[in-house]
Amino acid sequence: MAILHFTVSKYAPRMNNLRYYTELTSSLSRLAAEGKVPFAEIDALRDVLRFHEHRYQILNDPLIADVEYDQLFKALEKLEKEHPESIRPDSPTQRVATGLSKDFPTVAHLVPMLSLENSYDADDLLDWDRKARELTGLSELAYCVEPKFDGASISLIYEGDLLTRGATRGDGVQGDDITVNIRQIRSVPLRASFSRYGINQIEIRGEVLINKSNFAKYNAQLAESNLPPMANPRNAAAGSLRMKDPKEVSKRNLEAFLYHVSYYTIVGEAITPGAAVGLPESTVHDAPHTHSGMLDMLWDLGFRSPKQERRVFNGIAEVIKYCHEFEENRDNLPYEIDGMVIKVDDLGLQDKMGMTTHHPRWAIAYKFKARQATSKLRKVEFQVGRTGSITPVAKIDPVPIGGVTVSSVSLFNEEVVRDKDLKIGDTVLVERAGDVIPYIVRSQPEVRTGEEEDIIFPTHCPVCSDALFKPEGEAVWRCININCPAQVVERIIHFVSKDAMDIRSLGEANVRRFYEAGWLKDVPGIYTLPFDQFSSLEGFGKKSITNLQSAIEASKTQPLHRLIFALGIRYVGETTAKTLAQTVDHILDFTEWRLEQLLTLEDVGPKVAGSIYQFFHNEDNLHMLRELEKLGLTLKRSQPENIPGGGSLKDQSFLFTGTLSRMTRSEAEALVEQQGGKILGSVSSKLNFLVVGEDAGSKLEKAKKITSIRILTEDAFLDMVSK
Ligand SMILES: [Zn+2]
């Protein structure tokens, strides 16, 4: 049995020691692949998993592929199953929960969670600074400024370096104990070495968020299942934290930002930050004496603290400038913030300044401009979606909200319209959170004049005039005419979208344009576009035509799961598409599958199975798939044997053309060479793979004429080398 002899120090995770972890990972991965990790290495295995969790969740810079992580994780699960006595609460496997939570018991916070005083402009901040200087008797104060995250507040307690409790804010004095759900959030370390700072017990505060892109995805899923969408990421995060099934919580992709230490004890002595303390000799660092130092400590211990965002300034002028900078930039952040928080940096001074009954005197929130506005609802239009769903869209008097003019707001479905009691002519309150779609918060019936009109739902499709249909138990009316022009266009838009076939240069606008010109009537039409006629189009230069052509060509070899997702089968998202792609050798094999067989697939319930079954028993769909195959698309599973040498690129030749978006060309070439492949200088029959980036030119043209050359997108290439 191989013994690796990696010593794992309990209190000193070497998160910065890249070389150590790279070597440890590759040794353990090799053993894990053979299913032979020795029990003696169980601590090393846990340590390496924690390291990669931190790279992925906190630094956003993963060093290994998901599959490799999963393999290591499974190896740990196996060892722990064989040696259950070795399981500890901070093991990476111990996030995974089974069973449902009954109630969340009420628990008291160690220190009450006060709210902050608010300020809305520079004058408010100048005022506050003046008072703070009077109170401390100093002519200038150092302030720490950081973003104010717009999520659900939490408080965490660590004891002896282990996470022992997570609670909601509640009323500020007491909250709900949601430890089991907090453990599902991968950016919350289950163990953190506070003991290195001499800290024994600590209470820290933070905010749980869903980032904007996960929020959008989550709402899209809800829409697909005809459930009402969540109004904003804050509500989505708060709701997720109180779910009874911790497994569901883990699927929500929550993130936790920790930004405040409210209490800690050192060698048995309870103190609040700022009080002078004697440190035990065994500690590596002193506990910090500034708030910014605390943020840095949290970051160093593996928390997602705002270390990168925080700044310390002397005096208020720079603080105001930084707040304005952040406000201008808020839409570019991946998560929602609703303001900034300014704190006196010195913890000793904080102590001296104290607090009122409502809020601390040493901190203030600077609130960004509200993203709400009132407007008049003028009319409601009905849009037809990809699956025939009819969505009411409110047209309102254009109104600026957070720097964007809003004139049209989705009302989702009939129930939402009824629930919100909306009428045409109503004054409505509209909110827009970041790049999240605007929505109507409520109408204002108290200012009605009596002239308002009810919103009438159509009985027939506004585009094709077929009778509409509402399945039982659903909130959405549908046009079930498969040839309804509105649906055809939406299907094509979905087919070419980024997560589907990723034909970027053929976006929504072009699809509509080509459809109207009569050049693009259905999905297979993408592959027979009359490019010779394009020169007559405004804004279509020679270069953009070549770009479009090569993007379309490259999409033909997209992996099968992308094609399945692109087909837009109802209820089949990216995950189910991947399951389906791994199940059959050829997509048309599904025509032979019975409903009961589909139900045996992972995560496929009756609703999903029924939808897949219907899709593959519809002659129009099968005809389309055969057409696509004739046009050269891959309808077969990309099997390991199709990838040379079962993953290694031995004896395979590559050439790159165009600009790659996710790496430089020399990095890509190095990847090929690392795996035993070679790089050719030009297109010839000796070439196996041409990888196409943006603006690919003559090499692609030449390669298309040699049928033995496989043309790959950058993503397909990355999929291939990561296997
Ligand atoms: Zn229709």
Side-chain angles (χ1 to χ4, degrees):
M1 187 186 278
I3 302 289
L4 303 174
H5 300 298
F6 281 104
T7 49
V8 180
S9 155
K10 203 169 161 197
Y11 290 116
R14 286 161 258 193
M15 295 307 191
N16 297 325
N17 195 337
L18 265 188
R19 212 175 127 195
Y20 166 79
Y21 278 105
T22 313
E23 280 172 19
L24 184 55
T25 305
S26 65
S27 311
L28 289 172
S29 288
R30 246 191 335 266
L31 292 169
E34 295 163 12
K36 287 184 197 151
V37 184
F39 178 64
E41 300 303 340
I42 193 164
D43 279 331
L45 191 52
R46 286 175 182 145
D47 200 31
V48 95
L49 281 164
R50 275 185 209 114
F51 170 77
H52 290 295
E53 236 173 31
H54 181 256
R55 293 295 309 189
Y56 184 84
Q57 299 291 337
I58 307 292
L59 304 182
N60 226 333
D61 184 18
L63 297 178
I64 54 173
D66 292 356
V67 275
E68 198 178 347
Y69 179 89
D70 291 344
Q71 200 171 46
L72 291 166
F73 192 88
K74 287 201 174 111
L76 177 59
E77 277 183 326
K78 185 165 162 265
L79 284 180
E80 288 184 344
K81 213 171 159 189
E82 291 161 7
H83 305 271
E85 73 288 352
S86 76
I87 299 175
R88 280 187 220 90
D90 62 331
S91 170
T93 59
Q94 297 304 298
R95 291 189 191 278
V96 187
T98 50
L100 301 183
S101 331
K102 285 182 203 78
D103 285 314
F104 301 113
T106 306
V107 288
H109 299 299
L110 299 184
V111 173
M113 293 174 83
L114 298 182
S115 48
L116 294 178
E117 189 184 350
N118 285 327
S119 67
Y120 299 93
D121 54 31
D123 284 345
D124 292 348
L125 286 178
L126 289 168
D127 252 11
W128 177 75
D129 169 60
R130 189 176 40 77
K131 277 189 244 158
R133 282 184 290 117
E134 276 169 19
L135 209 57
T136 53
L138 295 169
S139 60
E140 190 178 69
L141 286 166
Y143 296 117
C144 180
V145 192
E146 65 201 58
K148 185 171 179 298
F149 301 102
D150 194 10
S153 301
I154 53 160
S155 129
L156 306 179
I157 295 179
Y158 285 77
E159 285 164 310
D161 290 347
L162 290 181
L163 171 70
T164 53
R165 193 181 88 181
T168 61
R169 180 177 186 280
D171 62 7
V173 178
Q174 294 185 319
D176 291 339
D177 183 335
I178 50 161
T179 313
V180 60
N181 286 349
I182 291 286
R183 292 178 77 91
Q184 309 304 316
I185 304 173
R186 293 194 170 269
S187 50
V188 174
L190 298 179
R191 186 184 72 194
S193 306
F194 287 108
S195 53
R196 278 199 284 161
Y197 293 82
I199 293 173
N200 179 32
Q201 184 195 33
I202 185 165
E203 184 183 52
I204 51 184
R205 303 273 164 80
E207 207 91 356
V208 170
L209 311 174
I210 294 185
N211 74 29
K212 291 174 190 168
S213 81
N214 281 327
F215 176 72
K217 275 192 195 158
Y218 175 55
N219 259 353
Q221 276 169 23
L222 289 176
E224 189 80 355
S225 313
N226 292 318
L227 293 167
M230 303 292 296
N232 55 45
R234 179 181 58 245
N235 291 2
S240 305
L241 281 180
R242 299 187 46 87
M243 284 194 299
K244 299 281 183 195
D245 186 355
K247 267 203 191 121
E248 285 300 310
V249 182
S250 74
K251 287 184 192 160
R252 294 278 174 95
N253 292 313
L254 300 173
E255 291 170 52
F257 287 73
L258 277 305
Y259 50 75
H260 184 69
V261 171
S262 50
Y263 171 91
Y264 63 89
T265 60
I266 281 184
V267 282
E269 187 189 356
I271 55 158
T272 43
V277 287
L279 289 166
E281 279 178 25
S282 62
T283 54
V284 182
H285 305 285
D286 290 359
H289 295 283
T290 57
H291 171 69
S292 54
M294 285 291 188
L295 295 182
D296 297 356
M297 173 187 81
L298 290 175
W299 176 269
D300 291 342
L301 291 175
F303 292 87
R304 177 67 176 89
S305 81
K307 173 180 162 142
Q308 288 157 329
E309 295 89 349
R310 69 126 181 102
R311 296 277 184 284
V312 177
F313 300 109
N314 286 317
I316 200 75
E318 292 291 314
V319 169
I320 294 170
K321 216 170 121 195
Y322 191 57
C323 289
H324 287 158
E325 259 171 46
F326 240 91
E327 179 158 16
E328 268 166 41
N329 200 30
R330 70 193 283 197
D331 284 343
N332 301 325
L333 300 173
Y335 44 80
E336 278 300 328
I337 63 174
D338 59 352
M340 303 295 282
V341 177
I342 300 115
K343 290 176 180 166
V344 171
D345 199 34
D346 187 304
L347 298 178
L349 281 179
Q350 285 190 6
D351 227 33
K352 203 170 148 192
M353 293 171 79
M355 45 191 70
T356 70
T357 46
H358 299 109
H359 48 75
R361 291 196 184 91
W362 41 264
I364 192 163
Y366 172 79
K367 300 279 271 185
F368 290 164
K369 277 173 203 67
R371 306 249 218 182
Q372 287 190 338
T374 51
S375 180
K376 272 245 181 316
L377 201 174
R378 291 298 176 190
K379 64 174 179 178
V380 173
E381 287 179 357
F382 294 88
Q383 288 179 357
V384 188
R386 170 164 62 84
T387 55
S389 57
I390 307 292
T391 308
V393 177
K395 298 287 162 181
I396 58 170
D397 285 345
V399 60
I401 309 178
V404 173
T405 302
V406 177
S407 59
S408 145
V409 185
S410 173
L411 297 174
F412 304 108
N413 62 45
E414 198 174 357
E415 262 172 45
V416 172
V417 173
R418 302 278 167 260
D419 282 355
K420 298 205 164 162
D421 180 27
L422 299 177
K423 288 176 189 289
I424 291 168
D426 262 351
T427 303
V428 288
L429 182 64
V430 185
E431 182 171 324
R432 186 184 143 261
D435 50 10
V436 175
I437 44 172
Y439 70 101
I440 291 186
V441 183
R442 60 168 189 271
S443 65
Q444 297 180 336
E446 60 278 13
V447 296
R448 278 183 186 154
T449 61
E451 312 251 301
E452 294 76 13
E453 288 165 35
D454 284 342
I455 295 165
I456 311 283
F457 274 73
T459 52
H460 289 77
C461 175
V463 176
C464 73
S465 305
D466 262 28
L468 296 180
F469 168 78
K470 184 158 93 166
E472 234 187 271
E474 289 194 9
V476 175
W477 287 91
R478 283 177 194 281
C479 164
I480 51 172
N481 170 14
I482 188 97
N483 296 315
C484 171
Q487 295 179 48
V488 172
V489 170
E490 293 299 330
R491 279 203 295 270
I492 300 174
I493 291 170
H494 172 73
F495 190 88
V496 302
S497 65
K498 189 168 167 291
D499 294 329
M501 297 299 265
D502 193 21
I503 309 178
R504 273 172 236 193
S505 22
L506 188 60
E508 178 170 347
N510 281 334
V511 169
R512 292 191 193 283
R513 211 164 155 193
F514 298 164
Y515 184 86
E516 270 154 34
W519 294 336
L520 183 54
K521 293 196 181 70
D522 50 20
V523 165
I526 297 167
Y527 297 93
T528 55
L529 281 171
F531 286 106
D532 46 333
Q533 295 177 42
F534 276 33
S535 47
S536 63
L537 275 183
E538 203 178 314
F540 251 92
K542 208 171 156 213
K543 198 170 143 198
S544 40
I545 296 178
T546 327
N547 275 347
L548 182 56
Q549 269 179 309
S550 54
I552 291 176
E553 196 57 35
S555 76
K556 290 182 178 175
T557 49
Q558 287 284 22
L560 185 58
H561 66 87
R562 277 181 171 265
L563 175 68
I564 294 177
F565 176 66
L567 294 174
I569 306 169
R570 236 183 126 191
Y571 307 124
V572 175
E574 285 172 83
T575 316
T576 312
K578 278 183 186 154
T579 308
L580 293 178
Q582 283 158 14
T583 306
V584 288
D585 293 329
H586 191 285
I587 191 173
L588 286 171
D589 293 353
F590 279 118
T591 56
E592 319 265 309
W593 278 54
R594 283 171 293 120
L595 200 55
E596 308 86 81
Q597 281 175 289
L598 289 168
L599 280 166
T600 62
L601 296 175
E602 202 179 317
D603 278 335
V604 172
K607 199 170 71 176
V608 186
S611 170
I612 299 169
Y613 184 85
Q614 263 183 14
F615 185 91
F616 286 101
H617 285 81
N618 173 307
E619 205 31 65
D620 290 336
N621 292 336
L622 302 184
H623 177 75
M624 171 183 72
L625 285 170
R626 287 186 202 108
E627 282 289 293
L628 289 175
E629 188 161 42
K630 268 189 227 150
L631 291 163
L633 273 77
T634 316
L635 269 64
K636 283 186 190 150
R637 171 158 56 147
S638 24
Q639 284 169 336
E641 57 264 31
N642 289 353
I643 291 163
S648 111
L649 307 179
K650 197 165 181 301
D651 299 331
Q652 299 295 321
S653 57
F654 285 77
L655 181 61
F656 294 86
T657 179
T659 315
L660 302 178
S661 64
R662 294 172 53 183
M663 60 181 97
T664 65
R665 195 178 286 190
S666 53
E667 281 166 347
E669 291 177 353
L671 264 176
V672 169
E673 281 164 354
Q674 261 171 31
Q675 301 197 19
K678 52 183 190 264
I679 304 295
L680 294 192
S682 64
V683 176
S684 73
S685 58
K686 286 185 196 140
L687 182 66
N688 299 110
F689 296 95
L690 180 73
V691 183
V692 198
E694 284 282 308
D695 293 330
S698 60
K699 282 179 188 159
L700 174 63
E701 291 306 311
K702 222 167 145 190
K704 278 200 272 186
K705 294 185 188 115
I706 306 174
T707 51
S708 62
I709 300 178
R710 254 180 87 182
I711 295 165
L712 298 177
T713 60
E714 187 179 352
D715 283 347
F717 166 72
L718 283 172
D719 275 358
M720 184 171 170
V721 291
S722 66
K723 279 208 178 94

